[in-house]
Amino acid sequence: MKSENFSTFKRRALHTALVSALVLGTAGHGINSQAATASNDATATVVAPIAIAAGSTLRFGSFSTSAAGQTVSVNATSGARTNSGTLLVTSTVGRATFNVTGEGTLTYAITLPSNGTVTITTGGATAPETMAVSNFSSDPSGTGALTAGAQTLGVGATITTVASQVAGAYTGSFNVSVDYN
């Protein structure tokens, strides 16, 4: 009988262990199988592209020079001309203007040409004569702000003569870039 009790005891213990393992296994599965879901929104705002168009040209006017390193400058705000060593002749002068358009009241960064990158030229292809254009400045300076999606950007600069600067009509071009901040 002892042996029968012991066998019954072993069966009950084994049965209890199996049931416990099954319950624990199922309970663990139940916890891991529960999922949670949340919803959120995604938003975006598309703005009008920024654009820039040339307006008035940068006009240094007429002058004469007798030495290297003499300068003529045009102010970015007023369009007024100043000089160092040159003899100014009455002529049409003025700042360059650009029309910047874009979205509402956003601000934008202004990128002007670096010194040493722009020249104006006269003469034929075989014997061109040049003057360096440098010290570009803008109005507004560095950053602009659109009002009702538009702003006029003024640009000034300085030209520097070389020794025995050749007389003639000098022309050239330069780039100004704008980009939203």
Side-chain angles (χ1 to χ4, degrees), residues 2 13 30 41 54 129 153 156 165 173 176:
K2 243 180 176 186
D41 296 327
E129 297 290 332
L153 170 64
Q165 190 74 56
S173 63
V176 173

Side-chain angles (χ1 to χ4, degrees), residues 36-50:
T37 303
S39 180
N40 206 334
D41 296 327
T43 64
T45 302
V46 177
V47 298
I50 193 164

Side-chain angles (χ1 to χ4, degrees), residues 17-34:
L18 286 174
V19 168
S20 294
L22 182 61
V23 168
L24 288 175
T26 305
H29 240 353
I31 291 173
N32 288 337
S33 68
Q34 292 180 0

Side-chain angles (χ1 to χ4, degrees), residues 47-54 98-103 108-109 146 149-153 176-180:
V47 298
I50 193 164
I52 185 169
F98 294 87
N99 302 309
V100 181
T101 57
E103 183 71 28
Y108 61 92
L146 299 172
Q151 184 174 43
T152 299
L153 170 64
V176 173
S177 299
V178 294
D179 195 11
Y180 284 130

Side-chain angles (χ1 to χ4, degrees), residues 1-16:
M1 172 103 159
K2 243 180 176 186
S3 162
E4 193 176 307
N5 283 341
F6 186 66
S7 288
T8 304
F9 175 74
K10 278 175 50 179
R11 268 189 306 218
R12 283 188 183 162
L14 182 60
H15 180 63
T16 302

